[in-house]
Amino acid sequence: MEYLLKPTHSPAHRFAFIGVPHDAATSLGNPGGRFGPQALRDALRGVFSWRLQNGCLADIDTGIIDLSAVEVADFGDIALSYHDTALTVEQTYAAVQRALAAGYTPLVVGGDHGITYPPVKALHDATAGAIGLIQLDAHCDLMDFSDRQGRFSGSSGMWRAIELERLAPANLVQVGLRGYATVEQYTLGQQLGVQRISGTRFAELGAHAAAEQALALAGQGTAAIYLTIDLDVINPGEAPGTGWPEPGGLRAQDVIDFVRAVAPRMAALDIAELNPVYDTPARTTALFAARLMLDFITTRVRLG
């Protein structure tokens, strides 16, 4: 087993970094998400290399954080069968299921946003009760099927998720939606009772109030909550390295604040649509994605 962060004491917190280098169903946005897992892995490893001293990091906002009993195991990138999208779903599901069974909190990294359904299903099947889902995203992702993308793609992940027996549409909270959507996906969400905090509403509420609302809705009657972050939720001026940049968007700092607010209640995380092909030479988006993952980890260590 390789480690992005190896504990020096018996681990009190165990995280599994699982790369899903998949963008084979990307037919509308920018291809290149398959390079995302390695880019995030390199960025996170760099932060630990530059900033970690004697097992500790200094958080400017909260002070010293002791990570000496934190394990971030690198499960590597899943060997995917790109010729068969349904098979890649099974392969991803099996990898996340193994991590959950071994007591790890999954940190799944894509790849296009089609990577979300398999780990959500794995959490669903590993949880006795109902589960909730918080989706940070510019887009609805409620497409059932298309001739170009099939049933499993970055446009269909939320629809596949709410087909699960114990994930009710009312426990799916879509945060940061903006711009224009298809009438079908917009109307479907309205009819099913999917909860939405649009980008405009988020700006009115502020990050902390939006997080409280999202937790209340996703947590209503559920035993576990999954967090998925599509990086196109952020204003593309701050995070250009993504598959489908959408004008407008949440500020990077607001996304950081939101993730910190919800992290202690989350059972699993994925970060999707990191696309190094369209990132800046300074790797702005990859470093931001690593920051979000580190915030998720450190907040759970402090408060989880």
Side-chain angles (χ1 to χ4, degrees):
M1 175 73 70
E2 294 188 8
Y3 296 93
L4 295 173
L5 181 62
K6 188 173 183 178
T8 56
H9 305 303
S10 178
H13 300 271
R14 304 174 77 206
F15 300 91
F17 185 108
I18 303 170
V20 190
H22 186 267
D23 63 0
T26 301
S27 61
L28 299 175
N30 299 325
R34 68 184 60 194
F35 305 115
Q38 189 59 47
L40 200 156
R41 180 184 285 112
D42 290 342
L44 188 62
R45 185 181 287 118
V47 172
F48 288 139
S49 174
W50 308 323
R51 306 276 168 79
L52 194 68
Q53 292 183 333
N54 298 319
C56 293
L57 284 173
D59 183 331
I60 296 299
D61 292 313
T62 64
I64 306 299
I65 301 174
D66 186 353
L67 299 178
S68 61
V70 176
E71 174 186 342
V72 183
D74 189 355
F75 278 46
D77 288 354
I78 301 169
L80 300 174
S81 299
Y82 290 100
H83 69 282
D84 186 340
T85 305
L87 183 55
T88 67
V89 170
E90 295 177 14
Q91 291 164 331
T92 306
Y93 170 84
V96 179
Q97 190 179 47
R98 286 193 296 273
L100 286 166
Y104 288 90
T105 298
L107 307 173
V108 182
V109 182
D112 66 38
H113 211 181
I115 64 131
T116 294
Y117 170 65
V120 169
K121 185 177 187 302
L123 179 63
H124 171 275
D125 292 352
T127 304
I131 70 169
L133 173 57
I134 296 176
Q135 171 197 3
L136 279 164
D137 203 333
H139 308 108
C140 300
D141 293 355
L142 285 171
M143 184 180 73
D144 181 14
F145 175 85
S146 78
D147 290 334
R148 295 181 70 173
Q149 295 178 289
R151 295 185 69 246
F152 301 105
S153 73
S155 300
S156 64
M158 302 309 116
W159 179 246
R160 296 281 82 83
I162 60 175
E163 288 180 327
L164 295 169
E165 179 183 1
R166 287 172 283 105
L167 203 172
N171 292 130
L172 166 58
V173 188
Q174 301 185 310
V175 180
L177 302 184
R178 66 185 186 271
Y180 295 90
T182 65
V183 172
E184 178 186 18
Q185 291 192 48
Y186 175 81
T187 304
L188 182 64
Q190 298 290 96
Q191 291 174 341
L192 292 175
V194 171
Q195 308 290 337
R196 287 171 171 165
I197 302 172
S198 71
T200 301
R201 180 60 178 153
F202 187 105
E204 294 170 353
L205 288 170
H208 290 95
E212 289 178 5
Q213 190 173 122
L215 285 170
L217 294 168
Q220 183 65 40
T222 61
I225 307 174
Y226 185 103
L227 175 63
T228 176
I229 304 171
D230 184 326
L231 291 171
D232 66 27
V233 74
I234 303 153
N235 187 302
E238 295 187 79
T242 187
W244 192 305
E246 191 73 44
L250 306 189
R251 296 186 313 143
Q253 185 60 53
D254 285 336
V255 176
I256 288 170
D257 293 341
F258 183 95
V259 169
R260 286 188 168 211
V262 303
R265 295 274 306 278
M266 300 299 105
L269 164 75
D270 77 49
I271 297 178
E273 298 290 351
L274 172 57
N275 190 330
V277 176
Y278 292 87
D279 206 355
T280 68
R283 302 177 298 141
T284 303
T285 315
L287 289 168
F288 179 72
R291 167 66 192 269
L292 291 179
M293 182 169 286
L294 187 58
D295 282 333
F296 183 84
I297 293 168
T298 58
T299 304
R300 287 176 61 85
V301 171
R302 287 190 299 108
L303 303 175

